[in-house]
Structure formats: structure tokens, C-alpha cells
Amino acid sequence: MPTYEYEIAALVAAYKDAVGRIKRELERLDLAGLSRANAEIALAEIARILASLNEESAAWVAANIPAAARGGIVNTLIALGVAETAEQAQALVKFNRMNANMVAAAIADTQADLLAVTQNVDRRVRSAVRQAVADSMRANMAAGINGRRTISRDILTEMRRSLGSAVETGIIDAAGRRWRPEVYVDMVTRTKMAATYNEATTNEAIQRGAFYAVISRHNATDACTKWEGRIIRLTAEAPGDYPTYSEAKATGEIWHPNCRHTYIPARRPDRLT
Ligand SMILES: [Zn+2]
């Protein structure tokens, strides 16, 4: 399976870059005398950074999810002997109805997942900046009453820390784990690209009457290992005592996040071992 490392790395770099620019924007704030007006100027710049990131990632998804689907179709065309080379197969790729539908859903899904990251960063940063304005005002008031001209270093350090951490959480998942924006984006796109590749493989195979597949091998070191080389059914409609793709996935051992396992379709399971 093509790994799309180069494409994923480019998107992850865009998130890293945006996070870095937001951090620098926050570091530029004069926390010792932070006015609401200055905070709003910084927030407007941050909103621009995130909007352009959203645009870039939407374009990335619209180009790369279909590319992963084409990869899966090529996989099937070669496995079933419809084409001999990847080049020949590329020329024959066409999205059937199942794949057109699946790709549209995968694009929408992935875009929603990525949008959730920038929305979270936006919300956290906004709330941290507004908190900083309030903290700064309060600390200045107290310092003035105490006859000092500037607020204490401890307060400034704490304000810096909470602003910095606001931009470092992209997503908190259902298990309560915090994901840095770029790490989450890497995991989500890798997982969605692999799922799209696999589903496109299945949809093309089923249309061509191939209902079985053998799971790929790359000497995995996780729970997937015991699934390498095993035969699955691509649909519960197919006869035979093999687990279906969904049953294999439901074990939680294979096709987990970041899993790179794919499968090679075949018309007859006895030709696979
Ligand atoms: Zn795996």
C-alpha cells in the first residue's frame, strides 16, 4: 500500500507552522499592561491564521482522500488481473457508485475532524487571551494599591504558561487524552487515508465479483501481527468460514488508528494460501 507519507507530512507541517505563528502572536502580547484592544488585534490575526489553515486542509482532503481511493482501486485491478501494472491500472480507475458515495462521505468526515481541531484551538486561545486581559488588569490594580509600578514576575510567568498551553491542545478524545494539534492531524489523516484505501479496494472487488481477500504483511509488531496473511470475507454475503472485514475490525486488534494493514482481494479463497 502506498503510505502517503509525503502528503501527510506536508499537512502536518502546515499545522505545526500555524501553531508556531499563533504562539509567536501570543508571545508578542505585552502581558504587563494588556489592554482589551491589543488582545482583540492579536485574536483577529490568530483567526486569520486559522482560517487560512482551514482552507489549506480542506483542499488537502479534497485532493488526497480521492487519491487514496484510487490507490485502493488500483490494488484491486492488479490483484484481480484486470491490469498488469500500476500504470495500466491507473488508466482504468473509475469510481463506481459505491466508491463515489464512500469518497464523498470520507471527504466530509475528514474535513469535519480537521475543522474540530482548529475550532478547539480557536476557542481555547480566545478564552486564554481574555483571561490574560482580566488577570493583567487585576494584577495592575493590586500592584498600584501596593505602591508598585509593575506586576510581579510570578504572575507574568503564569500568564505566559496558560497562553502557551492553550495552543497545544488540538483535541481531547473520548478517553480524556490530550492530543497536540499536529499529532492528532497526523493520526486522523493517516487513519482516514488507510480506511479509504481499504474501502475502495472492497467496493471495486465486490463489483467485480471478488468477495475474499488476504491481509497484507509488513511484520507489524502490534496486535495486528496475528492477522497478517489471514483470509477475510469482504462481505457477509460470501460463503465460507472466514471472518468478515467488520468482524476482524471489531476485535480491536486490527485496523486501529494508525494501522497500515490492507488486503489483496481475490475471487476464490483457496487461491490465496
Ligand atoms: Zn495494523
Side-chain angles (χ1 to χ4, degrees):
M1 175 196 173
T3 55
Y4 309 107
E5 290 299 332
Y6 177 81
E7 292 79 3
I8 291 171
L11 185 67
V12 167
Y15 276 77
K16 263 192 195 155
D17 177 61
V19 164
R21 286 166 61 200
I22 293 171
K23 271 190 177 160
R24 284 194 293 281
E25 206 55 52
L26 295 174
E27 280 158 11
R28 259 203 289 277
L29 288 172
D30 172 21
L31 299 184
L34 186 55
S35 70
R36 179 123 60 120
N38 281 340
E40 292 303 326
I41 290 168
L43 287 176
E45 180 53 31
I46 289 167
R48 271 194 293 277
I49 294 170
L50 291 173
S52 110
L53 182 60
N54 283 340
E55 245 175 64
E56 189 174 348
S57 60
W60 188 97
V61 171
N64 285 285
I65 291 287
R70 283 195 295 276
I73 296 169
V74 165
N75 176 33
T76 296
L77 294 177
I78 292 173
L80 300 183
V82 179
E84 276 177 14
T85 65
E87 213 168 37
Q88 277 178 13
Q90 285 286 1
L92 296 173
V93 168
K94 205 173 151 274
F95 288 174
N96 61 28
R97 224 155 48 100
M98 290 175 286
N99 270 331
N101 188 52
M102 182 277 290
V103 165
I107 288 175
D109 247 31
T110 312
Q111 284 182 340
D113 279 348
L114 295 181
L115 205 54
V117 175
T118 50
Q119 281 169 344
N120 269 334
V121 168
D122 186 53
R123 204 181 52 236
R124 276 170 202 286
V125 168
R126 260 170 209 289
S127 128
V129 167
R130 289 180 178 146
Q131 185 62 50
V133 172
D135 289 348
S136 179
M137 283 180 176
R138 193 180 303 128
N140 275 302
M141 174 63 75
I145 288 169
N146 286 329
R148 293 203 318 267
R149 271 184 308 176
T150 55
I151 65 181
S152 82
R153 186 160 296 278
D154 283 357
I155 289 177
L156 286 175
T157 306
E158 175 54 24
M159 286 166 76
R160 285 260 169 252
R161 195 203 55 78
S162 58
L163 282 174
S165 82
V167 71
E168 277 174 6
T169 305
I171 285 287
I172 299 177
D173 67 15
R177 281 177 302 234
R178 281 169 183 274
W179 294 78
R180 298 172 60 89
E182 66 274 19
V183 177
Y184 184 78
V185 165
D186 185 278
M187 183 278 288
V188 156
T189 50
R190 203 173 286 281
T191 305
K192 290 274 202 265
M193 291 288 278
T196 302
Y197 180 97
N198 285 338
E199 281 192 57
T201 296
T202 296
N203 287 340
E204 184 71 20
I206 284 177
Q207 194 200 7
R208 292 179 181 273
F211 297 153
Y212 304 91
V214 62
I215 296 175
S216 65
R217 296 173 187 275
H218 55 257
N219 298 317
T221 51
D222 52 13
C224 293
T225 323
K226 64 173 166 195
W227 285 92
E228 291 194 333
R230 279 182 65 177
I231 297 170
I232 54 169
R233 285 182 295 157
L234 295 178
T235 164
E237 303 297 321
D241 191 21
Y242 308 102
T244 61
Y245 170 83
S246 319
E247 285 163 355
K249 189 170 186 221
T251 63
E253 294 167 350
I254 186 162
W255 298 310
H256 49 76
N258 286 326
C259 179
R260 283 167 47 213
H261 282 97
T262 175
Y263 41 82
I264 314 296
R267 291 198 172 85
R268 291 180 47 181
D270 57 341
R271 298 275 171 84
L272 281 170
T273 43

